[in-house]
């Protein structure tokens, strides 16, 4: 989904994904929240600020959920 994401910014564990205008970031945000994933959203940017104790399985779950949302599956 590289075409959907136009920029990735990171500082430590804080990560921001900036989507192109074809992606409704608010819709992605709401679907992530519905799946129990706490993220921030402003305009076309999603912000992730995980706790320091995050586990690899949590990251995998987030990536897989974003992938499913962007592919519509």
């Amino acid at each position: 989904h590289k075409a959907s994401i136009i920029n990735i910014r990171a500082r430590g564990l804080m990560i921001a994904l900036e989507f192109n205008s074809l992606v409704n970031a608010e819709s992605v945000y709401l679907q992530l929240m519905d799946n129990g994933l706490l993220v921030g959203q402003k305009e076309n940017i999603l912000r992730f600020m995980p706790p320091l104790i995050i586990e690899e399985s949590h990251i995998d779950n987030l990536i897989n959920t974003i992938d499913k949302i962007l592919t519509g599956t």
Side-chain angles (χ1 to χ4, degrees):
H1 309 289
K2 291 182 181 181
S4 300
I5 300 171
I6 58 174
N7 194 9
I8 300 173
R9 296 186 293 274
R11 183 161 299 190
L13 287 179
M14 296 183 296
I15 298 173
L17 298 180
E18 183 177 357
F19 294 99
N20 65 29
S21 61
L22 301 176
V23 176
N24 183 339
E26 184 175 3
S27 175
V28 175
Y29 162 77
L30 292 172
Q31 291 178 66
L32 289 170
M33 296 292 284
D34 287 344
N35 282 282
L37 298 166
L38 301 176
V39 299
Q41 182 263 330
K42 182 176 182 181
E43 298 174 3
N44 64 333
I45 298 171
L46 290 181
R47 295 173 296 188
F48 307 93
M49 295 176 278
L52 294 175
I53 59 169
I54 192 165
E55 297 177 9
E56 188 173 347
S57 63
H58 299 138
I59 296 168
D60 291 341
N61 181 40
L62 174 65
I63 292 169
N64 290 332
T65 304
I66 291 173
D67 183 53
K68 289 177 185 176
I69 292 168
L70 292 177
T71 58
T73 59

